[in-house]
Every structure is written in structure tokens, then in C-alpha cells.
Amino acid sequence: MVAGRDEYLRDFDAAIQDGPGSHERISIITGPRGVGKTVLLNEFEAVAKSHSWRVISETTTRGFIDRIRDRAYKLVQELSSEPKRRLSGIKLPYLGFDTESVPAYSPTPTLRSVLDELFDCQAEIDARLGQEPVGLLITLDELHYAHMDEIVEFGTTIQHLVREDREIAVAMAGIPGAVKPLLAADEGRNPVTFLRRANRIETGMVPIEEVRMALEETAAQVGVSWTPEALDAASNATGGYPFMIQLVGQHAFRNLTDNEINEEAVSHGIGAARRKLGQLVHEPSLADLSEVDRTFLTAMSADDGPSRMSDIAARMSVDSQYAGNYRKRLIDAEMIRPTSHGYVDYELPYMREYLRSHHVTDAMEQFSIWPE
């Protein structure tokens, strides 16, 4: 069950039915780790397949252009008929005809040439069968500015296909810090205009009421119920964070008794979920940041709630302007969020507890202003 994402799926489904040019056919999904970006890509693929569309799924690592081209070429081969043949001569006395295969000119295939051929073949089949156009969805996970050159080439190809009214859709996903440089103007000459014009999906937390429904209905599908207190505790413990919904539900389920999940099961589940969250989300999220970014976040962990910017600057022994620059960086990376004037808090649940439990806080103890 995918909680809290119905609107995005409805929009994408409508875009496929609306035809070429629909805005939601080119979408970028951003958000911190664990908010369900990859899951949403999978759901987009399911929507496309429900309309009999073809799907190519890739990760934006080195060589992804060639991998997409090769996958598209295999689809062309599946659609293509037997090679065309030409008359090569007349054979007497039976007036039989000899034929030979036409040697085809074979330039080095590019992504654009292969996709053009794929769409031409599919359009021919659609016309012959009198069916609705069958399109192609390409999904790209882990979108990252480190692969700018290939992304520019990919974007240029997609822009041409869109201008030609091809039945193409593209859904991409990445963390904010890796995607935002691709959307930057680059002194007004950004070549990846298709990204800047794309539909933006900024995934965030799921409302707690929808968390409750997801946990309750998923368990009910296999004949398991929650006590009211356990369901409240589990829902609130997730903070609406999609990955925590999955982890808390999974580990609470493992501790059920007689097809019922009680408060004790949830307590064990929350502990296991928090450990897993630290390993799979907090640790890699911090690894993406600079040393000063991590120092800023560590300075925040001294507080039990939102942190005052002046306190953070004092703990870091820097001035307010310097701290403000890193505040902006971390907001852009969706690691923190402003809560009120002069205050910020963590975006990811349990980040404070994770930092407190690791040795990084030791570096802050040198400051006398560290709270008692």
C-alpha cells in the first residue's frame, strides 16, 4: 500500500490519457532519503503498464544513456517484421525470381535514432490494429548532477521527442542536493531546460491519519488487528515518514501475539525501526554532506526541540552570517526546515537521537555553552 501519494498517481494517469504535451508526462520527484521516491517511480510504471505502455527503468549511473538505447533497440527488434527483400534478377526458363537481402546502411545508433525507430514501428502497429497509441515511459532513479553530460544528452533527446508529439513520458527521482544543481540557471545558459520545465513532485511526510489507515488496512489484509493504543503509538512514532511507516509496521508485525499487535509489540518494533533507520537513512544522508554541514547538524542535537540560530552559531564558534549560509544549504538539501523566526529543526525523524548516540557529539563538548 502506498500512503499519501494518490494525487500524484491520478495526475500521471490523466497525463497519459491526455496525450502528448501533457505537463505531468515529464516529472521530477525530489525529497530526502526514505520518503518513497523509488516507490513512486514503481507506481508510475504500474500506471503506464495498465495502459499497455512499454517501460524502461534505469538508474542514473555512468553509461545510462547506452543502457536505455540498448533496451529500446531490443523493443524495436521485437516489433520489427522480417527484413525487406528486393528483386535481384530473373531466372529462366521457369521465370522464377531470385531475391537477396538488402544490405542496410548502419550508422552508429544513438538514443534518439533508436527511439525514433521504436515510435515509428509502434505507430505503424497501432494504425494497423486501430488501437490506442502505445507509448513509452522511461524512469530514472538516483538523478545526480555528477552525470551532467549524459543528462544533457538525454534531455536533448526527450525535448525533440516531445516537440514531435511522440508518446513519451519520463519520471525521474533524486535527493534535493543532487537535483537542484541541474535546475540552476548556470548564468542563464542551462542546457537542461526540459528539467526546469518538468512537473515538480516534492515528496514529504504523510499525514498521521493516513498513516493509521495504511497500518490498519495492511494488517487487516492478512487477518491481523491492532489494539487502539498500539495503533496510535505506531502511527505517531513514524512521524509520517514513509520509510518509518514501513519499518515500524514490519517490526511490530514480527512481534504480534495471537494475530494482534499490542503496545509491547509496537515498543519492540519502534526500537528496531530506529536502529534500521539510522543505518539505512541517517548514515548515508550525513555522508553526502560537508564537514561543516555535519557540524551544524550536530550543534542542533544539543536541543530537545527546534534550535535557535544564534545558539547554533555560538556552538560552532562562527558568526551569524556564516551559520546562515549553512542554514540555507541544509534547507535546500531538505535536512532541516525553518519552524519560526530564527529557529530550525530536523527534517528527518530521529536525526537528533541518531547524532546524540554517535561519537560526533563528542566534538561539541569542548564548548562551554553546550547545555547541561
Side-chain angles (χ1 to χ4, degrees):
M1 177 178 291
V2 180
R5 305 296 187 242
D6 291 346
E7 178 185 355
Y8 306 136
L9 298 178
R10 286 195 299 268
D11 287 346
F12 183 68
D13 185 83
I16 286 183
Q17 298 182 66
D18 288 345
S22 181
H23 184 226
E24 289 84 0
R25 281 197 176 192
I26 309 295
S27 295
I28 302 179
I29 305 165
T30 62
R33 284 184 173 86
V35 295
K37 298 184 296 296
T38 301
V39 170
L40 192 52
L41 287 181
N42 294 340
E43 292 299 312
F44 278 4
E45 292 177 5
V47 169
K49 289 175 181 176
S50 73
H51 291 280
S52 300
W53 275 37
R54 304 178 190 282
V55 173
I56 295 178
S57 178
E58 259 303 334
T59 300
T60 314
T61 53
R62 186 182 300 277
F64 78 89
I65 288 279
D66 291 342
R67 295 194 298 272
I68 294 174
R69 180 200 61 199
D70 293 345
R71 290 281 304 281
Y73 183 69
K74 288 181 180 178
L75 292 175
V76 171
Q77 289 181 312
E78 293 173 7
L79 294 175
S80 297
S81 58
E82 291 297 316
K84 296 180 180 178
R85 306 178 76 85
R86 72 177 180 193
L87 181 67
S88 63
I90 299 177
K91 186 177 181 180
L92 297 174
Y94 306 106
L95 295 181
F97 296 99
D98 283 343
T99 63
E100 65 180 19
S101 294
V102 178
Y105 170 61
S106 300
T108 302
T110 63
L111 177 63
R112 183 180 175 187
S113 67
V114 174
L115 288 177
D116 276 338
E117 187 174 358
L118 173 61
F119 285 117
D120 287 343
C121 288
Q122 186 63 62
E124 196 175 300
I125 293 171
D126 294 339
R128 186 169 68 245
L129 299 179
Q131 63 185 16
E132 289 293 316
V134 173
L136 172 68
L137 167 66
I138 300 175
T139 61
L140 285 177
D141 206 357
E142 305 285 346
L143 195 65
H144 201 287
Y145 65 86
H147 304 288
M148 172 70 84
D149 290 345
E150 285 196 75
I151 292 171
V152 169
E153 180 183 348
F154 178 75
T156 301
T157 297
I158 299 303
Q159 285 183 146
H160 281 295
L161 295 172
V162 170
R163 286 171 57 191
E164 294 165 359
D165 286 337
R166 299 290 199 173
E167 294 288 348
I168 182 73
V170 177
M172 301 155 283
I175 60 174
V179 172
K180 288 188 177 180
L182 292 169
L183 307 178
D186 190 22
E187 300 180 0
R189 298 188 299 274
N190 181 10
V192 201
T193 53
F194 95 111
L195 286 178
R196 289 194 291 161
R197 295 171 183 167
N199 176 47
R200 306 277 183 86
I201 299 175
E202 296 181 358
T203 49
M205 304 306 165
V206 177
I208 296 299
E209 188 54 41
E210 292 194 40
V211 174
R212 287 177 54 87
M213 291 173 55
L215 291 174
E216 187 171 30
E217 291 177 16
T218 305
Q221 291 174 10
V222 289
V224 171
S225 61
W226 300 71
T227 66
E229 297 78 12
L231 185 58
D232 285 341
S235 301
N236 292 327
T238 68
Y241 184 53
F243 193 35
M244 272 296 279
I245 300 173
Q246 177 183 343
L247 289 174
V248 170
Q250 173 182 325
H251 289 283
F253 183 85
R254 289 178 178 175
N255 290 280
L256 62 84
T257 303
D258 297 329
N259 289 332
E260 184 180 72
I261 301 174
N262 57 29
E263 288 183 273
E264 183 179 0
V266 168
S267 178
H268 289 304
I270 292 171
R274 287 174 58 176
R275 289 190 294 273
K276 208 69 169 175
L277 186 70
Q279 176 189 354
L280 299 178
V281 175
H282 295 143
E283 186 176 325
S285 294
L286 291 169
D288 286 338
L289 304 175
S290 72
E291 184 177 347
V292 180
D293 288 327
R294 291 193 290 270
T295 302
F296 187 108
L297 294 173
T298 301
M300 289 175 58
S301 69
D303 302 307
D304 293 329
S307 299
R308 188 165 52 188
M309 282 298 301
S310 59
D311 291 340
I312 297 170
R315 292 167 192 162
M316 295 175 67
S317 297
V318 299
D319 60 39
S320 59
Q321 183 177 354
Y322 186 89
N325 291 336
Y326 282 88
R327 171 186 179 274
K328 183 179 185 307
R329 282 166 53 97
L330 290 166
I331 290 174
D332 287 344
E334 297 191 18
M335 293 297 294
I336 63 174
R337 67 180 185 276
T339 56
S340 58
H341 182 67
Y343 284 80
V344 291
D345 203 355
Y346 296 107
E347 186 69 59
L348 296 177
Y350 299 112
M351 177 62 83
R352 176 180 292 105
E353 291 80 0
Y354 177 82
L355 289 169
R356 285 178 175 179
S357 66
H358 287 70
H359 63 84
V360 289
T361 55
D362 297 342
M364 301 302 297
E365 292 178 357
Q366 60 182 297
F367 301 118
S368 60
I369 45 93
W370 191 263
E372 296 295 332

